[in-house]
Amino acid sequence: MELLMEEIRSIIPSDQIFTSLADRYSYSYDASFGSYLPEVVIQVKNKEEISSLLKLANTFNIPVYPRGQGTSLSGGPLPVKGGMVLDMSQWNGNLKIYPDDLVAVVSPGVLTASINQEAEKFGLMYPPDPSSAHVSTIGGNLAENSGGPRGLKYGVTKDYVIGLEVVTPEGEIIRTGGKTIKNVTGYDLTKLIVGSEGTLGIITEATLKLVPKPPASKTMMAVFDDLVQSGQAISKILTSGILPAKMEIMDQSSIIAVENYQPLGLPIDAEAILLIELDGHPLAIEEEMKKIEVIFKGFESVKVKIAENQDEAQSYWKARKLVSPAIVKIKPTKVSEDATVPRSKIPDMFQKLKEIREKYDIHLVVFGHAGDGNLHPNIICDKRDTEEMIRVEKAVEEIFKAAVELGGTLSGEHGIGTLKAPFMEMELGAAGLDMMKRIKKIWDPNNILNPGKIFPEEGQKLVLRE
Amino acid sequence: MKAAAGLQSKLHYDETFNCVQCGYCLPVCPTYETMKSEVHSPRGRINLVKMLAEDKIKAEDLREPIEKCLGCRACETACPTSVQYGKILEGAKEVLENAEQKSITQKLSESLIFDQMFPSKRWMNTIGYLSWLYQKSGMQKMAQRTGITQFAPLHLGKFESVLPDLPSPAERKNRARLFKAIGSRKVTVGFITGCVMDAIFYETNRNTIDLLTKAGAAVLIPVNQTCCGALHAHAGKIADAKLLAKRNIEAFEKEKTDYIVNNAGGCGATLLEYGELFKGDIEWERSAQAFSNKVRDISQVLSELDGLSFTKEVNGTITFQPSCHMINVQKVKNEPLSLLKQVKSKGYREMNDKERCCGSAGIYNIVNYEDSMEILDSKMKNVKETNTSIIVTANPGCLLQMKLGIQREGLEKSVRAVHLVDLLVEAGAVSK
């Protein structure tokens, strides 16, 4: 390590190298579980620095973990095997919009929300909108292939990236894709790297696709007495020829929690609330909103309110925003999952989650992006209570099983990281997982880049206790 | 080895578990912005406090991250899970304060500042007198001309040049203790004159009384009131803060008041938290809470009474720099703005990131001068973009800091900083 540090100091300015215990502990966590102490933290600011560091890491056989602002919910940037954390968050100098090409070119530390803000100045929009967009970096979003409420209509991060500059695990600098919307030259390495969770390369620049900003939006709140009917209503709307921008659900536990936290006059005896946002041409969304109202009238147990203006719309969305703070008032620890099912299976998934809640006697709250099947079952617990956490671990395992059995997936938008690695074979099969491992082996023969993620180690189990 | 349970409780170890490490506090933290590393973020500091409570790091590892925190508490407003950062910060400060080996001179100078000067009316008045003498005798002009002020310790020379004009000792001495409401009396308020406010911004205090009486409030100034204890609490001297709080509670209990009014955002926040400070104290909790329940910022009382109209146009365009403790702790956000908007002026323009700390933060700008100036520079960039000529503030620290910012940018000819209260008087406030 001493020799390595000497080499590092010869290529990186000293104010970018952190070695104190306080600094190392400060980069030992993310927004998921577990804390792993790195040996050194380096704030990188250009591709040459990263390239040199990766070459050194290969020589010294030291693992390297790229990290944005540490908002990952799956353990993506955790330095699980010690080594070097590369803090990319301060490399945020480049954010350029090319309005005539409808693209943005960004450096990895740029905050995701800033891209959309900048695009709006040109009447454009960068659609992916993870809830953490005002904190998370685009580099992290690309690595984890993040989603958000707008995913229903607009898709996730991978649908908006057309070109990358990447430092490979062995320290070579390559470019993938380009600036054009159409590009079928060779293998699509861009798509391979996006969502590879920092295991195949470190993204140093991205070219992102922008779309015209919709001129208007409209919001509706629908209140259901019956949870299963709300699931049926979701499918009915989506097959009616209307594609909302967002369609979010809150179950009864979420409604009660929000109402206890901050009374907004929500109906606490309702089993579910659906929030729907349409965007597009004002006349078109007016028409579509009426159509949705008619569809809802076909269900007995529903009351519908359409927001008359932006202020009222915001007050509806406020309820959804308050779910997170409200539920941690019950107990401090939040295990936030993003198991996703085909949209027709939403009612079945609700049923399954209800059974799991009872079986393990856990506080399970469901909310999330109902329109794309990306539910967020959140288990509210206390990580100091070992006995409870063991039940939670078992419940999480069953949630994943249920999702996969219904034809769904382990992760809709958070990534696999360390937390879901033990379940990969269940979804992909041994051969499927092996193909992925082979790709990793070829790209990163010394297993330098972000080891311990995506692929489970022999006998690895989900552990939420420290 | 497990850390002692006593240490864990002092560090509010249980409270640290409420942090889900989502990082939503990062973009609002001024020191994370300027110092650019996780140790100087709220999430990083909370984690380090937890690490100390678990005996994974030493108190000394925590010192710099905690000392560099402004305590602006913007993170509390941004936090989606309502972590009580202020409580964690003060606990950490107390633990660090007790862990520190101090030299005799350090102990003496701290005792002079915290035990003698701030709680003492006489000391504060003396500072006021000396500053008055310094200004009136021509010493200030001479000192500035010779450049001698730049050799003052702790950069104090930078601050002396932005001091306002001060009243004469005679005027100070003869201030009445009771002011009748003009017209019919709607409420009776007790006025917390504050230490720095009364010493340096005496004129603002005089204007505060003027506005309150015109708006229909009778104003009482209890003689035995003392420093609110904010600076002591923020320095980790909780026992001292409690002593001062008790004196204030007793002083105001003797008077019959509807509200306890202050005109300094930082003091207001501390007064509002007396209830929390004595939580679990059988003897004091009730009266502390009763005291806190009455605490109001001047802008709240003036808005509620709605008894003023403004007769003169203020010459210039206005922007507002809120006090952190006023918005993040007292949650007073709209009242100062609605008062400002009643003032006739050449227009109000909001600055970007107006709710970000200016870097004053109690005595932060004195003890962490360089760091504070970086934060100030980033604030002044936003001020300049508004192209306004008047910066309105609501706290003495912010006011001095903004004056210093104007000087650093060389904007003395075109921009001035003023306390909200003074601007309202300038705008010709009269009873409705």
Side-chain angles (χ1 to χ4, degrees):
Chain A
M1 197 66 203
E2 261 320 293
L3 200 58
L4 173 71
M5 284 309 299
E6 225 170 82
E7 296 271 351
I8 291 174
R9 286 196 188 97
S10 70
I11 49 175
I12 306 285
S14 60
D15 61 345
Q16 290 170 231
I17 305 171
F18 298 164
T19 52
S20 79
L21 196 58
D23 274 315
R24 287 158 59 209
Y25 266 114
S26 298
Y27 293 85
S28 70
Y29 53 78
D30 64 3
S32 69
F33 283 80
S35 165
Y36 305 86
L37 201 58
E39 272 136 317
V40 56
V41 180
I42 300 167
Q43 290 191 319
V44 282
K45 296 202 171 143
N46 61 56
K47 57 187 169 189
E48 289 80 16
E49 287 175 355
I50 296 178
S51 164
S52 317
L53 285 171
L54 279 171
K55 284 179 180 163
L56 272 184
N58 275 278
T59 311
F60 287 86
N61 211 10
I62 298 283
V64 176
Y65 311 84
R67 183 184 192 271
Q69 297 244 70
T71 61
S72 173
L73 291 166
S74 61
L78 295 177
V80 291
K81 298 192 184 298
M84 244 188 263
V85 165
L86 302 189
D87 175 19
M88 313 281 289
S89 66
Q90 303 307 316
W91 184 2
N92 52 13
N94 187 22
L95 164 50
K96 197 152 177 8
I97 308 286
Y98 296 87
D100 297 337
D101 295 328
L102 284 94
V103 299
V105 176
V106 298
S107 52
V110 165
L111 299 186
T112 304
S114 326
I115 302 171
N116 190 46
Q117 272 163 23
E118 201 59 29
E120 280 188 343
K121 293 181 186 163
F122 300 90
L124 301 171
M125 167 166 89
Y126 174 67
D129 61 337
S131 306
S132 59
H134 63 295
V135 197
S136 56
T137 61
I138 187 66
N141 281 186
L142 288 160
E144 300 292 333
N145 199 357
S146 314
R150 281 207 286 252
L152 167 60
K153 181 171 179 177
Y154 294 96
V156 295
T157 303
K158 72 174 173 202
D159 299 309
Y160 293 88
V161 48
I162 55 177
L164 294 174
E165 181 187 79
V166 178
V167 180
T168 70
E170 291 177 290
E172 304 302 330
I173 299 167
I174 62 166
R175 295 200 80 101
T176 74
K179 268 194 163 183
T180 59
I181 299 298
K182 285 181 176 170
N183 181 333
V184 296
T185 309
Y187 291 153
D188 192 351
L189 295 184
T190 310
K191 286 279 198 291
L192 179 61
I193 289 162
V194 173
S196 68
E197 307 192 15
T199 61
L200 297 183
I202 299 181
I203 296 165
T204 53
E205 186 184 277
T207 305
L208 306 167
K209 189 167 79 176
L210 304 173
V211 299
K213 185 179 180 316
S217 66
K218 220 166 170 56
T219 296
M220 163 194 270
M221 182 194 277
V223 180
F224 285 86
D225 289 344
D226 183 284
L227 184 64
V228 178
Q229 273 200 9
S230 74
Q232 291 160 351
I234 293 165
S235 295
K236 189 92 194 234
I237 290 163
L238 293 172
T239 52
S240 71
I242 297 169
L243 185 54
K246 302 177 188 168
M247 198 189 250
E248 299 281 303
I249 192 161
M250 289 166 63
D251 75 349
Q252 190 170 25
S253 315
S254 328
I255 301 169
I256 293 173
V258 169
E259 216 34 43
N260 285 339
Y261 179 68
Q262 199 183 106
L264 296 171
L266 296 177
I268 48 171
D269 39 6
E271 282 202 352
I273 287 178
L274 268 187
L275 284 169
I276 298 176
E277 184 183 295
L278 297 178
D279 69 2
H281 191 280
L283 293 176
I285 58 176
E286 192 74 32
E287 187 68 28
E288 288 178 346
M289 204 44 116
K290 279 184 199 145
K291 219 166 149 186
I292 292 180
E293 217 179 343
V294 173
I295 293 171
F296 276 132
K297 284 200 176 129
F299 294 91
E300 302 149 26
S301 65
V302 64
K303 280 187 227 73
V304 176
K305 272 196 274 184
I306 299 173
E308 304 216 340
N309 50 45
Q310 278 307 315
D311 282 349
E312 198 180 336
Q314 289 213 329
S315 75
Y316 293 178
W317 288 106
K318 188 176 180 191
R320 168 70 180 83
K321 276 214 174 109
L322 286 176
V323 176
S324 278
I327 56 181
V328 290
K329 287 288 133 193
I330 303 162
K331 280 180 184 183
T333 310
K334 189 168 77 143
V335 180
S336 176
E337 286 310 338
D338 69 327
T340 303
V341 293
R343 289 178 275 196
S344 64
K345 299 291 188 219
I346 290 173
D348 306 70
M349 190 63 186
F350 275 135
Q351 186 55 40
K352 274 279 179 198
L353 291 171
K354 212 169 155 181
E355 287 163 23
I356 293 169
R357 177 184 349 207
E358 277 150 26
K359 180 170 170 191
Y360 293 102
D361 185 26
I362 47 168
H363 203 96
L364 177 71
V365 180
V366 188
F367 58 96
H369 319 308
D372 51 24
N374 180 199
L375 299 177
H376 286 307
N378 272 250
I379 303 172
I380 309 308
C381 45
D382 187 338
K383 67 176 164 193
R384 286 161 289 190
D385 183 343
T386 311
E387 189 272 328
E388 182 183 29
M389 292 313 282
I390 294 171
R391 277 184 288 132
V392 173
E393 286 162 7
K394 287 183 182 151
V396 169
E397 192 171 336
E398 247 184 83
I399 291 173
F400 290 138
K401 265 194 194 137
V404 172
E405 275 165 17
L406 288 169
T409 180
L410 296 172
S411 176
E413 57 182 12
H414 294 172
I416 299 300
T418 53
L419 287 183
K420 291 170 207 169
F423 311 105
M424 285 292 273
E425 202 173 309
M426 179 173 82
E427 181 175 336
L428 300 171
L433 189 58
D434 187 52
M435 273 317 276
M436 288 190 185
K437 281 185 185 163
R438 285 198 231 173
I439 293 172
K440 167 73 174 166
K441 182 83 189 158
I442 293 293
W443 277 70
D444 185 7
N446 299 321
N447 199 23
I448 294 299
L449 206 46
N450 211 6
K453 315 296 161 64
I454 303 181
F455 306 111
E457 307 207 330
E458 194 67 34
Q460 189 182 334
K461 288 235 182 270
L462 172 72
V463 180
L464 299 171
R465 294 155 285 159
E466 294 198 1
Chain B
M1 194 183 81
K2 274 262 166 225
L7 181 66
Q8 292 202 342
S9 119
K10 270 211 171 112
L11 286 170
H12 302 293
Y13 180 59
D14 275 340
E15 183 63 36
T16 64
F17 281 85
N18 292 332
C19 173
V20 294
Q21 299 181 333
C22 64
Y24 283 23
C25 52
L26 299 179
V28 301
C29 176
T31 55
Y32 180 69
E33 185 194 24
T34 56
M35 300 178 193
K36 302 183 192 312
S37 86
E38 183 84 14
V39 286
H40 296 301
S41 77
R43 178 176 67 176
R45 292 180 179 118
I46 293 169
N47 178 63
L48 289 174
V49 167
K50 195 179 191 179
M51 294 298 104
L52 177 61
E54 290 175 2
D55 210 21
K56 289 183 180 149
I57 62 170
K58 299 278 161 259
E60 285 318 300
D61 296 317
L62 184 64
R63 188 170 299 281
E64 200 198 341
I66 290 297
E67 282 177 356
K68 293 277 158 111
C69 173
L70 296 154
C72 71
R73 293 166 70 174
C75 49
E76 281 183 26
T77 301
C79 179
T81 60
S82 312
V83 174
Q84 294 181 53
Y85 178 81
K87 195 168 155 184
I88 296 173
L89 176 67
E90 277 185 10
K93 288 224 166 144
E94 192 182 358
V95 167
L96 290 177
E97 168 73 14
N98 295 339
E100 194 175 16
Q101 302 284 327
K102 289 182 181 173
S103 67
I104 291 177
T105 14
Q106 207 176 353
K107 277 186 193 155
L108 278 175
S109 58
E110 281 194 5
S111 148
L112 181 72
I113 294 172
F114 288 108
D115 306 338
Q116 308 287 322
M117 275 168 57
F118 276 103
S120 153
K121 268 274 114 95
R122 217 182 59 200
W123 253 103
M124 278 294 144
N125 285 342
T126 307
I127 290 177
Y129 298 151
L130 288 177
S131 310
W132 171 79
L133 190 68
Y134 173 75
Q135 287 176 338
K136 296 294 162 202
S137 65
M139 267 165 70
Q140 186 176 32
K141 280 209 177 84
M142 191 183 78
Q144 283 168 357
R145 206 163 32 223
T146 54
I148 201 164
T149 51
Q150 61 183 307
F151 301 109
L154 290 167
H155 305 273
L156 288 174
K158 299 271 190 334
F159 294 96
E160 70 80 38
S161 58
V162 296
L163 292 180
D165 283 341
L166 290 159
S168 71
E171 186 184 344
R172 212 177 258 283
K173 217 173 159 185
N174 293 333
R175 179 166 67 193
R177 299 285 159 223
L178 172 65
F179 299 83
K180 284 190 179 150
I182 294 171
S184 64
R185 180 171 61 85
K186 295 176 193 160
V187 289
T188 302
V189 304
F191 179 33
I192 292 263
T193 52
C195 331
V196 180
M197 281 308 298
D198 221 34
I200 315 273
F201 297 105
Y202 188 85
E203 174 78 17
T204 307
N205 275 355
R206 197 163 49 194
N207 285 338
T208 301
I209 297 164
D210 184 43
L211 290 174
L212 282 167
T213 51
K214 280 181 179 158
V219 182
L220 281 165
I221 305 180
V223 191
N224 292 328
Q225 63 172 295
T226 183
C227 169
C228 66
L231 295 174
H232 302 75
H234 298 162
K237 298 174 190 296
I238 301 292
D240 295 345
K242 282 187 173 170
L243 272 178
L244 296 171
K246 285 178 187 173
R247 275 169 59 188
N248 279 324
I249 293 166
E250 280 173 339
F252 279 84
E253 260 178 350
K254 290 198 188 107
E255 315 280 357
K256 268 197 139 174
T257 56
D258 301 299
Y259 298 133
I260 297 169
V261 183
N262 72 89
N263 57 12
C267 304
T270 300
L271 300 167
L272 200 68
E273 291 187 329
Y274 276 3
E276 181 65 30
L277 187 64
F278 288 101
K279 205 157 194 182
D281 183 322
I282 308 161
E283 204 185 332
W284 285 88
E285 185 175 345
R286 263 182 63 171
S287 45
Q289 196 53 55
F291 181 99
S292 289
N293 291 345
K294 283 189 184 179
V295 171
R296 300 285 185 284
D297 183 73
I298 170 83
S299 64
Q300 288 176 292
V301 178
L302 293 181
S303 292
E304 188 190 311
L305 295 176
D306 192 24
L308 297 175
S309 39
F310 301 94
T311 55
K312 290 184 207 151
E313 180 172 329
V314 173
N315 188 23
T317 43
I318 298 172
T319 194
F320 181 54
Q321 165 61 33
S323 135
C324 296
H325 281 182
M326 197 148 118
I327 49 170
N328 296 320
V329 185
Q330 301 185 64
K331 311 281 178 202
V332 177
K333 217 171 160 176
N334 299 325
E335 289 88 342
L337 283 176
S338 74
L339 285 166
L340 265 184
K341 283 173 185 167
Q342 290 172 39
V343 167
K344 288 179 216 143
S345 72
K346 299 245 176 323
Y348 171 79
R349 289 181 208 151
E350 192 145 296
M351 74 171 105
N352 274 337
D353 269 341
K354 89 171 184 304
E355 286 170 5
R356 186 159 291 229
C357 180
C358 63
S360 155
I363 51 170
Y364 188 94
N365 50 3
I366 299 173
V367 292
N368 294 304
Y369 180 76
E370 302 294 337
D371 298 308
S372 158
M373 289 305 117
E374 275 198 40
I375 293 161
L376 175 60
D377 290 348
S378 135
K379 172 61 67 181
M380 290 311 291
K381 192 174 148 274
N382 291 325
V383 168
K384 279 196 285 187
E385 277 168 13
T386 61
N387 229 340
T388 48
S389 50
I390 306 169
I391 310 169
V392 180
T393 65
N395 182 51
C398 313
L399 182 55
L400 279 177
Q401 182 86 341
M402 295 319 293
K403 283 174 182 250
L404 195 60
I406 291 168
Q407 200 181 71
R408 278 171 77 82
E409 300 287 338
L411 295 170
E412 296 98 323
K413 290 217 171 79
S414 53
V415 184
R416 64 188 173 115
V418 54
H419 192 290
L420 173 67
V421 163
D422 298 330
L423 188 87
L424 295 180
V425 168
E426 192 185 321
V430 292
S431 304
K432 254 187 188 169

